[in-house]
């Protein structure tokens, strides 16, 4: 039911694991609903130079986390804020309809990490 | 790659002897059993032989077996059939919260048609309390439907206590015995249900065939209308090769005394996994459970992720009910047992079968701890748990 690309990211998640001293952290989802995503970013001169994640969730949740961290690296904050859930799903060659919410979660995690960075920056 | 199939509660491989009889039937037994010439009457004979085999598997009379297009259809026929035949006598039905979707969704459809439904609760082992059934019975109760054993947890229900309550009140009792047949002894005359559902593909027979046992004297209306086949309860030309396969599977499952072997294997799987993995929780009754079924929650790792990772290692297991894979809701069975949703999401169901070997179980014991370790490694919930337990230790 998953695309090859989803399975590939599920099997070999990129940027997986905690980040030491991140500039921004986003945590979204709820264990009761079955998905929790934590996304960390490192920012230099307004550019996201590194992103990592930790995720509790289904195959699609892990693959979207992995994909969004790949997509965001090297992007400016403004560019990163324009990454939509649709773009994440498309980059994975699509998601089953019941799993679209996983890409929404990935977008939300990214936004939340950026908001956290902005707040810290003041 | 090595393939280990541990999802026998979802479906079973077709037994080689069943396959042989079916191949034969597909080629030679093509006659319509309702015709008068030799090719037809031979098909009829084989059909009746299959009926005899299925009947004797559950201790029923041959004429009490109606073939259907599977377990779901048999459950629909039982619920709608009884309710339509008895709607002048009342409009209350009692079932449980842990039934298979084919019973639950039939009950919900009947609810929309104006019937009142009581969904009995279960205890933390997934067991219905016969006392609760007694309390739920009303003067207008026309049907009770409680499953014989649960497909997700394997918990075996106290059916005899409940059929006795039903009989005392003169209320027809249906039981979905799809998961029990072929795994434990099911003697319908012994425990006295009025209707009982069987599915062929759970006992190493073909898919798309099932049966409803209808005790003599039970009033029931069909849900399909057509010819006189299956006494009018299930019109349509019979699936002769499928039914022949079903009959053979029923016959083989009678001889099969695998129960003790599977209990030993299953318990070894559970004990070894709980030794090697922390925070493993058994779902279902520790003893009153199908010999082949092991349902566990491995905290902080989502079930689907484990299923996909195990599939890559050649192991086929499920997260619970195969029918629920398309939904995101955690299991309604575990919810009814009071398992918190964040734990229910972390569930794997192993269901063993006649083709399961010692080596298969060893292989799972060997690889699953590493899968869990890897996935917990990127689970934010596990991280929180570790931090919390470290704090508590200090």
């Amino acid at each position: 039911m998953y695309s090859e690309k989803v399975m590939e990211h599920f099997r070999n998640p990129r940027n997986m694991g905690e980040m030491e001293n991140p500039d921004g952290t986003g945590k979204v989802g709820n264990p009761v609903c079955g998905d929790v995503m934590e996304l960390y970013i490192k920012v230099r001169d307004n550019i996201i130079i590194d992103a990592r994640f930790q995720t509790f969730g289904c195959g699609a949740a892990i693959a979207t986390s992995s994909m969004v961290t790949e997509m965001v690296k090297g992007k400016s904050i403004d560019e990163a804020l324009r990454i939509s859930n649709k773009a994440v799903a498309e980059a994975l060659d699509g998601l089953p309809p019941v799993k679209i919410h996983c890409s929404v979660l990935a977008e939300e995690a990214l936004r939340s990490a950026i908001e956290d960075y902005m707040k810290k920056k003041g | 790659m090595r393939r280990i199939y541990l999802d026998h509660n979802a479906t079973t491989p077709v037994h080689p002897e069943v396959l042989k009889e079916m191949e034969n039937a597909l080629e030679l037994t093509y006659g319509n059993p309702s015709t008068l010439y030799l090719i037809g009457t031979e098909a009829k004979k084989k059909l009746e032989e299959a009926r005899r085999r299925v009947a004797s598997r559950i201790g029923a009379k041959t004429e009490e077996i109606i073939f259907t297009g599977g377990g779901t259809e048999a459950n629909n026929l039982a619920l709608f059939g009884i309710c339509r035949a008895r709607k002048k006598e009342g409009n209350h039905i009692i079932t449980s919260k842990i039934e298979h979707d084919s019973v639950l969704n039939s009950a919900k459809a009947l609810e929309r048609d104006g019937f009142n439904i009581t969904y009995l609760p279960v205890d933390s082992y997934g067991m219905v309390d016969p006392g609760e059934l007694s309390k739920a019975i009303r003067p207008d109760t026309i049907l009770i439907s409680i499953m014989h054993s649960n497909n997700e947890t394997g918990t075996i229900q106290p059916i005899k206590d409940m059929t006795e309550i039903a009989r005392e009140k003169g209320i027809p009792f249906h039981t979905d015995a799809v998961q029990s047949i072929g795994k434990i002894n099911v003697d319908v005359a012994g425990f006295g249900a009025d209707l009982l559902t069987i599915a062929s593909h759970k006992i190493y027979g073909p898919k798309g065939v099932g049966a409803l046992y209808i005790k003599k004297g039970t009033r029931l209306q069909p849900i399909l209308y057509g010819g006189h086949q299956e006494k009018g309860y299930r019109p349509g030309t019979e699936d002769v090769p499928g039914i022949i396969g079903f009959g053979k599977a029923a016959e083989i499952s009678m001889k099969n005394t695998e129960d003790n072997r599977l209990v030993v294997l299953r318990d070894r799987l559970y004990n070894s996994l709980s030794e090697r993995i922390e925070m493993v929780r058994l779902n279902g009754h520790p003893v009153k459970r199908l010999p082949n079924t092991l349902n566990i929650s491995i905290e902080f790792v989502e079930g689907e992720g484990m299923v996909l990772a195990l599939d890559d290692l050649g192991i086929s297991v499920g997260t619970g009910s195969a029918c629920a894979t398309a939904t995101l809701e955690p299991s309604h069975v575990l919810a009814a047992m009071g398992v918190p949703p964040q734990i229910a999401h972390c569930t794997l169901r192993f269901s063993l079968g006649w083709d399961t070997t010692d080596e298969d179980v060893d292989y799972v014991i060997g690889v699953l701890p590493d899968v869990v370790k890897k996935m917990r490694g990127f689970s934010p919930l596990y991280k929180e748990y570790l931090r919390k337990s470290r704090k508590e230790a200090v």
Side-chain angles (χ1 to χ4, degrees), chain A residues 11 16 27 38 55 99, chain B residues 304 312 378 383-384 387:
Chain A
R11 288 186 183 114
M16 187 186 74
K27 185 174 173 182
E38 263 184 52
T55 291
K99 301 289 188 180
Chain B
E304 190 205 279
D312 278 346
F378 54 83
K383 182 180 71 180
E384 275 165 30
R387 273 191 197 144

Side-chain angles (χ1 to χ4, degrees), chain B residues 251-329:
Chain B
E251 189 197 50
I252 294 166
S253 81
M254 282 192 87
K255 298 181 204 149
N256 210 342
T257 45
E258 283 264 280
D259 304 8
N260 291 336
R261 187 183 78 91
L262 292 183
V263 167
V264 170
L265 270 184
R266 178 199 70 186
D267 290 348
R268 185 157 69 81
L269 178 61
Y270 173 61
N271 292 331
S272 303
L273 291 177
S274 9
E275 276 165 26
R276 287 165 173 78
I277 305 169
E278 60 172 338
M279 313 288 275
V280 173
R281 149 188 188 139
L282 175 71
N283 300 313
H285 197 281
V287 187
K288 288 174 188 156
R289 187 157 46 107
L290 295 175
N292 78 319
T293 307
L294 175 64
N295 185 307
I296 52 173
S297 295
I298 302 179
E299 285 193 50
F300 319 119
V301 197
E302 208 266 346
E304 190 205 279
M306 285 192 280
V307 167
L308 295 174
L310 287 171
D311 188 38
D312 278 346
L313 294 162
I315 301 165
S316 313
V317 292
T319 53
S321 164
C323 308
T325 306
T327 70
L328 302 167
E329 292 298 307

Side-chain angles (χ1 to χ4, degrees), chain B residues 91-167:
Chain B
N91 73 336
H92 180 235
I93 306 160
I94 301 170
T95 183
S96 83
K97 288 184 174 171
I98 58 157
E99 299 297 313
H100 185 264
D101 277 348
S102 55
V103 167
L104 281 182
N105 287 334
S106 293
K108 280 181 198 152
L110 286 161
E111 212 167 357
R112 288 192 289 273
D113 286 348
F115 286 90
N116 294 315
I117 321 277
T118 299
Y119 299 92
L120 294 178
V122 292
D123 65 15
S124 61
Y125 296 133
M127 190 95 69
V128 177
D129 175 2
E132 293 280 339
L133 173 63
S134 284
K135 275 192 269 169
I137 291 174
R138 312 191 320 205
D140 60 343
T141 306
I142 53 167
L143 173 67
I144 300 166
S145 177
I146 310 283
M147 70 199 324
H148 195 272
S149 63
N150 182 262
N151 48 312
E152 292 188 32
T153 61
T155 295
I156 300 165
Q157 302 301 326
I159 288 296
K160 193 158 192 288
D161 295 346
M162 293 192 274
T163 54
E164 274 165 13
I165 293 165
R167 200 178 319 133

Side-chain angles (χ1 to χ4, degrees), chain A residues 27 31 36 38 54, chain B residues 300 379-390:
Chain A
K27 185 174 173 182
V36 179
E38 263 184 52
Q54 287 197 300
Chain B
F300 319 119
S379 166
L381 303 181
Y382 187 61
K383 182 180 71 180
E384 275 165 30
Y385 159 74
L386 287 181
R387 273 191 197 144
K388 219 186 262 171
S389 41
R390 246 180 257 139

